[in-house]
Every structure is written in structure tokens, then in C-alpha cells.
Amino acid sequence: MSPLLPILRGLIEEKGPLPLDSFMNLCLSHPEHGYYRKRDPLGRQGDFTTAPEISQMFGELIGIWCVERWQAMGSPASFNIVELGPGRGTLMSDALRAGKASPGFIEGLKLHLVEINDSLRRQQKQALKAYDPVWYESIEDLKLKGPTLWIGNEFFDALPIQQFISKDGIWHERCVEFDTHKDELCYVDLVSKEVPVMGEQPAGTLFETCPLAQSILAKISAHIKIHGGCGLFIDYGYSRGEKGDTFQALKDHQPVSPLAFPGQSDLTAHVDFQKLVEIAYRQGAQPHGPVTQEAFLNGLGIAVRAQALQEGKHESLQEEVKRAHLRLTSPKEMGNLFKVLAITDSNQTVPCGFHV
Ligand code: SAH
């Protein structure tokens, strides 16, 4: 049994049903039993695989993107890179290896990593020790000045969401209850204290929102406006504020019920990019995109990089590179579901990969 289950049950008995965001937050970030606290969730042994773990091409192209933006900012002699949720450090290590080709880039950067997982922090330390990174528990702890590049791959999808459902013209909030007959967690929709700004909706409309993603993006956008810099965020999600239930769980690479293994399955929801774009504008920063991961990687020349990696290599390795190229860009795989959003200050040109 999940060690988190009796804790959740106790909380529900004491305080009543838990709003979905509180449930998700406890499942992912509970100091002892939270999913993201101790284990390495990535790779074949874990529950899911991410783009940088599929191929070095992903991180390398992001490295080239960062260099291009650094040059667009006038190649500042000192600047920050912040990565949110760096996983095993693979993306950043591939990116900075690619960045070495540009004199002044590595010399000028100070690397900051926001990570709550101890086991992943250890792996990041191993992968990135040459760059002497500094770790933070939360974006709140960052007190940076000067131009900053912000990177996040599959970070926003791991932040807690709220769900609101319209029933007979009344907004309800989805909560998690303990069913004592069945001895398991279940959903219950309670009349909402908060009313989402959605206006009248047809009965049954379900609407998701992620307040933490919104406040993090607002802080980053404000920082970019004041100090200069840019952000690059890649995640699966929708471009135009679609409605519907996207709350999901993965365990051992298989979809499971989000309530079945609290603290032991990866819980995520689609990222609402439209909302993030609005927030960037509101803070006076300039959003670009979202574009699909396929368009972004094609714009950065993934085909050329894939070709170069195959040259003179054994057939099985060539196949591996071709397969990874397809996985990252094919609309049937990650190419279409994953979106990429960039944010810059308003003085910058359109970044690479965002020309439509
Ligand atoms: N970017 C990596 C890992 C993605 S998984 C990759 O692409 O491979 C999500 C990452 O975010 C993990 O490193 C996880 O530990 C971290 N994370 C999840 N919730 C977090 C939070 N609230 N604050 C900081 N890091 C978090």
C-alpha cells in the first residue's frame, strides 16, 4: 500500500475532501512520500522518458538556441541560465557542450538549477559539475540580477492543477474524498467557493487551471522585462485554451488511475499555453509561439544534426539516430503534442525556431 494513503485519509477525515491541487501537490511534493522527492522517475526503469533522454540532439539544439539568444542580447560578459526541473541534467549538459563552440558563452554564464528531488540533484551534480551550478528548492529562492535565460522541459506539466465543472449553471470544484465502503480514494465535486472567469458554460463543461504555473510564469516574465533575457518552455499541452479533463497518471510507462497509487505514479496535466501567453503579455514581456516541437526542432536544423551524427557510424547507430529524430519530431509521436513557448524582452528579434 502507498505510505501516503493513510496520510491522505487522515487529512480528509480531519478537513474534508481535498481540492485536486492540494491532492496533486501532496502526491508529488510531500516531503517524505512525494513522487518527485526521492526517486528517479525517468528512463526505462522509471515511469516515463523525456526528449533529452531520447537523444543528445534535443539538448544540443537548445544549446544553440541559447547561444543565438545570448548573441541577440549583445553577448553579455556575464549572465544567468536557470533550468527548472533539470531531471538528470542531460539537457543542460548537452546544451552547454554545444555552447562551447561560441567564445565567451561558457565563460560568462552562471548556472542555477531549481530542483526538489535529491536523487536527481545528485545526478545533476555529476553531469554538470564542470559548470559549478547552484541549487534552489523553489523559484522563490532565486534572487538574480542581470540578463537570464530560463529553460524548462516538462516542468509545468508537473505542477498542481484545479478542475472546475459547471453543473446546472453552478461551478463545482473537483476534490478527492475517501470512500470508506470501497476503502479507496474517489472524486467528489463540491460547490466552488471560487468562480473561474469562464462565464456561462454548457452543463458538464470541465475546465482546468494551474495557478502555480501562472504565478511562476508571471515572475519569469517580469524578471525578463526588468533584467533582460528570455525563456524557453517545452511541454505537452494545448495552444488555444481547450477545455476537458487532462489529469493523468503514468506508472511503469503505463497509464493508471491518478487516484490509484498516490505518491507512486507520475501525475501530470496538459499545459494551457494560451494562458501562459496572456500572462507574459500582461507582465510586459514578449511571447513567441507556442509552436509545435516539430516546427521548433526543424527550425533549428535537427535534420542536419541527425545527418551529421550518422556519418561514418555503424548501421545500428544510424538507425538509432533516425528513430530518435522521428520520435522527437513526428506528429504521431512527440512532434505535435509537445509545444514550445519562448518569452523575450520586447527589444529582441524573433528567436530561432519561431519564424512562422
Ligand atoms: N527536464 C527534465 C525532467 C522532467 S521531469 C527532462 O526533460 O528530462 C520534471 C522535473 O521537475 C524533475 O526534475 C522533477 O524532480 C522536477 N520537479 C517537479 N516538481 C517540481 C517543483 N515543484 N519544483 C522544482 N522541481 C520540480
Side-chain angles (χ1 to χ4, degrees):
M1 189 184 66
S2 153
L4 198 55
L5 191 59
I7 297 173
L8 292 167
R9 187 179 176 173
L11 270 173
I12 292 168
E13 278 166 5
E14 190 190 327
K15 295 188 176 153
L18 288 169
L20 197 63
D21 58 340
S22 311
F23 169 76
M24 196 171 167
N25 187 38
L26 284 163
C27 288
L28 296 178
S29 310
H30 183 276
E32 244 179 291
H33 306 300
Y35 179 80
Y36 275 121
R37 281 295 173 178
K38 303 232 155 67
R39 73 182 74 210
D40 175 356
L42 295 160
R44 214 168 283 168
Q45 306 293 321
D47 295 311
F48 60 97
T49 303
T50 56
E53 300 300 329
I54 290 171
S55 166
Q56 69 187 77
M57 292 185 284
F58 189 77
E60 288 170 349
L61 292 172
I62 289 179
I64 289 165
W65 190 91
C66 289
V67 168
E68 193 268 337
R69 278 300 92 190
W70 172 69
Q71 288 167 344
M73 296 187 294
S75 310
S78 110
F79 67 103
N80 303 300
I81 294 187
V82 178
E83 188 176 1
L84 308 172
R88 293 177 173 170
T90 311
L91 185 161
M92 195 48 68
S93 137
D94 291 337
L96 297 182
R97 190 178 60 251
K100 281 185 186 154
S102 301
F105 179 76
I106 299 291
E107 294 76 0
L109 85 86
K110 182 78 203 132
L111 183 60
H112 308 267
L113 307 173
V114 180
E115 177 61 69
I116 56 168
N117 180 312
D118 292 337
S119 147
L120 291 177
R121 273 191 186 202
R122 279 194 291 280
Q123 295 190 53
Q124 291 158 17
K125 197 169 202 166
Q126 196 58 33
L128 297 166
K129 55 178 178 292
Y131 307 102
D132 202 14
V134 183
W135 280 267
Y136 305 82
E137 184 76 13
S138 146
I139 190 170
E140 303 294 336
D141 305 333
L142 286 162
K143 303 275 179 278
L144 302 179
K145 293 205 166 63
T148 304
L149 296 170
W150 306 79
I151 309 289
N153 185 57
E154 291 211 45
F155 174 73
F156 284 114
D157 70 14
L159 302 178
I161 58 155
Q162 297 176 298
Q163 286 186 338
F164 295 98
I165 303 115
S166 167
K167 293 182 177 178
D168 303 325
I170 299 168
W171 282 107
H172 290 63
E173 181 168 5
R174 180 145 292 178
C175 298
V176 175
E177 167 72 302
F178 192 81
D179 182 333
T180 41
H181 295 294
K182 291 192 182 152
D183 207 26
E184 63 186 23
L185 296 168
C186 63
Y187 291 119
V188 56
D189 298 333
L190 302 182
V191 172
S192 167
K193 289 183 211 107
E194 264 176 79
V195 178
V197 251
M198 287 288 284
E200 284 274 309
Q201 291 293 328
T205 301
L206 189 148
F207 160 76
E208 292 179 341
T209 168
C210 186
L212 186 57
Q214 293 174 22
S215 75
I216 290 177
L217 198 93
K219 286 199 180 91
I220 293 174
S221 301
H223 196 279
I224 289 173
K225 181 175 159 62
I226 297 165
H227 296 277
C230 56
L232 186 71
F233 305 106
I234 306 130
D235 236 303
Y236 60 102
Y238 35 83
S239 303
R240 262 183 284 282
E242 288 88 338
K243 295 176 205 75
D245 182 3
T246 72
F247 186 40
Q248 55 185 281
L250 274 185
K251 189 168 171 20
D252 304 323
H253 296 265
Q254 298 299 321
V256 292
S257 156
L259 302 186
F261 305 96
Q264 297 173 326
S265 65
D266 180 41
L267 300 181
T268 59
H270 280 28
V271 172
D272 181 352
F273 280 98
Q274 177 68 38
K275 193 82 208 164
L276 300 185
V277 163
E278 279 168 34
I279 287 169
Y281 272 128
R282 217 180 296 151
Q283 296 295 330
Q286 177 65 51
H288 305 268
V291 297
T292 62
Q293 179 165 299
E294 178 191 21
F296 175 70
L297 294 176
N298 284 342
L300 284 168
I302 191 170
V304 176
R305 184 69 191 124
Q307 199 56 43
L309 280 175
Q310 289 174 58
E311 258 153 44
K313 296 286 164 25
H314 189 270
E315 210 171 301
S316 63
L317 218 131
Q318 291 189 7
E319 273 312 308
E320 205 179 293
V321 175
K322 279 188 198 139
R323 176 84 206 103
H325 180 186
L326 254 177
R327 246 183 113 180
L328 293 173
T329 55
S330 162
K332 291 194 200 113
E333 304 212 36
M334 300 175 83
N336 199 23
L337 180 60
F338 280 75
K339 311 287 188 299
V340 189
L341 171 69
I343 295 169
T344 64
D345 57 68
S346 41
N347 304 325
Q348 282 178 47
T349 49
V350 175
C352 242
F354 291 86
H355 295 274
V356 276

